[in-house]
Amino acid sequence: MRKLFAQTGFPRLFGGLSTSMLGDSVMLLVLSMWVKTLTGSNAMAGLTFFFMVLPALGAPLLGVWVDRLPRKPILVWGNVASAAAVLPLVLVRDKGDVWLIWVVACLYGVSFVVLPAALNGLLKELLPDELLVDANSSLATIKEGFRLFGPLVGAALFATVGGWLVAVVDAATFVVAGLLIATIKVTETPAPTQHAFREEVMGGIRFLIGDRVLRHVLAGLGISILVIGFFESSIYALLDAFGKQATFAGAFVTAQGIGAIIGGLTAARAVRRVGEVSVCTLGLVALAVSTIVCIVAPSITVVMVGAAICGLGLPWTFVSFTTLMQRRSPGHLIGRVSTAVEVLLSTPQAISLALGSLLVSLLSYRQIFTIIATVILLGALQIALTLRDQLRPQPTAADDQLPAEPASGADAL
């Protein structure tokens, strides 16, 4: 990590991103909590997350512009725009204003597409390939570490003062993040010659389809995410079963944060030891195990243990996959590859969130969690079986200089 923070520009980037992550940790749970409080509906609370992932369906169009424009200004102005996007929440008063929360959730979703894509590109400009996993791990650690207190702070502010103050705090963190990132000095590689817009839109998807490793890992993740979204609606049903209020979801997420800190701190070492594909598979297995723990839990204390195991699995899954994507993607395509991944993962997530909102009114949380655990294990098995030759550390030097065009022949099978 010392070598990572010695890289010019990264400490300020880390500071800016950490600040906005703090705002996210305070706000994001409050959005669904707010809807649950106003409507009393678990299904409507779950739909809040559906609106948040909806913008990812148009991600390839956004990815073209991320690759055409310098990434640093995108991050600066994207944070400023995000600050403006959350401020309408100060106008929410009653059940009739739930639509406004959903509009803000949708705008939040746009930032979740554009800002990570620009970040992936900027990281490739700032850092050598061998430090990418350290950067992803450090960012995941701080993001998940905020789960220890961010959701509790957000829930406390919401319960005692109101959601408007949470919105103001979140907006302020976005502004600070934009100002810090604006001070970074970086010379970005000029964008390549532009081609037909339709061809550029499809560039990231063609690359992912042609890259055997990314294609199969994405398939396993997509299978898993088809059910992971069920958590967002059924978590409130789980809390109801143990006699807990909706605000107790903050404690659940805090327990996740404890496991996530461990996961974030160990992800880089795990990737170097066994490789990105293995760590991603193990992360999915941990998510399935955490779900099983919640199914059999006799008390809320055991549920918190399951939440912590879930927290461990999240950074292992997504730090390893993000590093794999960054390492294998050419710099001039990284924005489109990132946004293509958003579509390929957010589409099943959107389906999952919508379906979860329906299932929570038909099935018990234990039945829903059983479906989640089974399907996630199938996703992990898909990756392990199709990429058996990748279940070991992969080289990161010359062998990673992959061509921009899709693979063909036997390697593409």
Side-chain angles (χ1 to χ4, degrees):
M1 287 295 179
R2 184 177 300 174
K3 185 177 180 181
L4 172 65
F5 282 89
Q7 300 294 310
T8 302
F10 184 77
R12 295 185 185 187
L13 177 63
F14 182 83
L17 295 174
S18 298
T19 304
S20 65
M21 288 175 187
L22 174 60
D24 289 343
S25 72
V26 172
M27 167 58 74
L28 291 182
L29 190 61
V30 167
L31 291 175
S32 63
M33 190 184 300
W34 208 337
V35 174
K36 165 73 173 177
T37 302
L38 291 176
T39 66
S41 169
N42 292 329
M44 293 186 74
L47 278 176
T48 305
F49 295 96
F50 170 79
F51 286 109
M52 203 175 294
V53 303
L54 198 58
L57 300 180
L61 300 177
L62 299 172
V64 172
W65 295 106
V66 171
D67 279 336
R68 286 183 175 184
L69 300 172
R71 281 63 180 264
K72 174 186 162 183
I74 293 176
L75 285 171
V76 172
W77 291 109
N79 275 284
V80 173
S82 297
V86 301
L87 286 177
L89 290 174
V90 302
L91 303 176
V92 175
R93 294 290 183 271
D94 53 37
K95 182 178 179 179
D97 296 324
V98 165
W99 67 271
L100 191 54
I101 298 176
W102 286 341
V103 168
V104 171
C106 193
L107 293 174
Y108 232 121
V110 174
S111 73
F112 285 163
V113 173
V114 174
L115 298 185
L119 174 62
N120 286 330
L122 188 60
L123 285 174
K124 283 184 74 74
E125 298 282 0
L126 285 175
L127 304 174
D129 276 4
E130 64 268 18
L131 292 181
L132 288 174
V133 67
D134 295 294
N136 294 325
S137 182
S138 63
L139 290 171
T141 300
I142 195 69
K143 177 181 178 180
E144 301 298 342
F146 285 144
R147 289 175 180 263
L148 292 175
F149 62 90
L152 291 177
V153 170
L157 289 176
F158 175 75
T160 59
V161 182
W164 67 268
L165 182 58
V166 182
V168 171
V169 169
D170 193 25
T173 64
F174 278 123
V175 172
V176 172
L179 291 174
L180 282 173
I181 295 172
T183 65
I184 298 173
K185 294 181 180 180
V186 58
T187 302
E188 299 193 48
T189 304
T193 303
Q194 297 176 9
H195 301 287
F197 189 76
R198 181 177 178 180
E199 181 181 345
E200 291 195 58
V201 168
M202 296 301 296
I205 294 176
R206 283 200 305 270
F207 178 83
L208 288 170
I209 293 174
D211 187 288
R212 170 178 170 264
V213 176
L214 289 175
R215 182 174 73 245
H216 286 302
V217 173
L218 272 171
L221 287 177
I223 291 169
S224 302
I225 289 174
L226 269 173
V227 294
I228 286 178
F230 293 178
F231 278 120
E232 308 301 348
S233 297
S234 56
I235 182 62
Y236 293 107
L238 182 152
L239 295 179
D240 288 344
F242 286 95
K244 301 296 181 181
Q245 298 296 319
T247 52
F248 194 81
F252 184 92
V253 176
T254 297
Q256 278 188 329
I258 295 173
I261 289 178
I262 299 172
L265 290 173
T266 57
R269 181 177 298 178
V271 165
R272 288 196 171 92
R273 184 178 294 272
V274 298
E276 291 100 335
V277 175
S278 294
V279 176
C280 187
T281 305
L282 291 171
L284 289 176
V285 172
L287 294 179
V289 169
S290 72
T291 309
I292 294 170
V293 170
C294 290
I295 292 171
V296 301
S299 67
I300 196 66
T301 301
V302 179
V303 169
M304 294 298 105
V305 173
I309 298 172
C310 178
L312 172 68
L314 286 171
W316 273 44
T317 301
F318 292 103
V319 166
S320 57
F321 173 71
T322 301
T323 304
L324 185 70
M325 178 187 67
Q326 292 168 341
R327 188 171 61 79
R328 298 184 70 89
S329 302
H332 71 278
L333 272 177
I334 188 67
R336 279 166 286 173
V337 171
S338 298
T339 51
V341 166
E342 284 294 322
V343 172
L344 296 175
L345 295 184
S346 295
T347 299
Q349 186 179 12
I351 295 170
S352 176
L353 290 167
L355 185 57
S357 297
L358 173 63
L359 289 179
V360 75
S361 61
L362 301 175
L363 303 175
S364 70
Y365 81 87
R366 285 192 170 92
Q367 291 171 317
I368 295 173
F369 277 29
T370 299
I371 295 171
I372 293 172
T374 301
V375 176
I376 291 178
L377 286 174
L378 289 175
L381 185 63
Q382 192 277 335
I383 296 174
L385 292 179
T386 58
L387 295 174
R388 291 188 297 273
D389 60 313
Q390 298 290 319
L391 299 178
R392 60 182 185 274
Q394 298 298 305
T396 58
D399 290 342
D400 286 334
Q401 303 305 311
L402 301 177
E405 294 300 319
S408 60
D411 186 55
L413 299 178

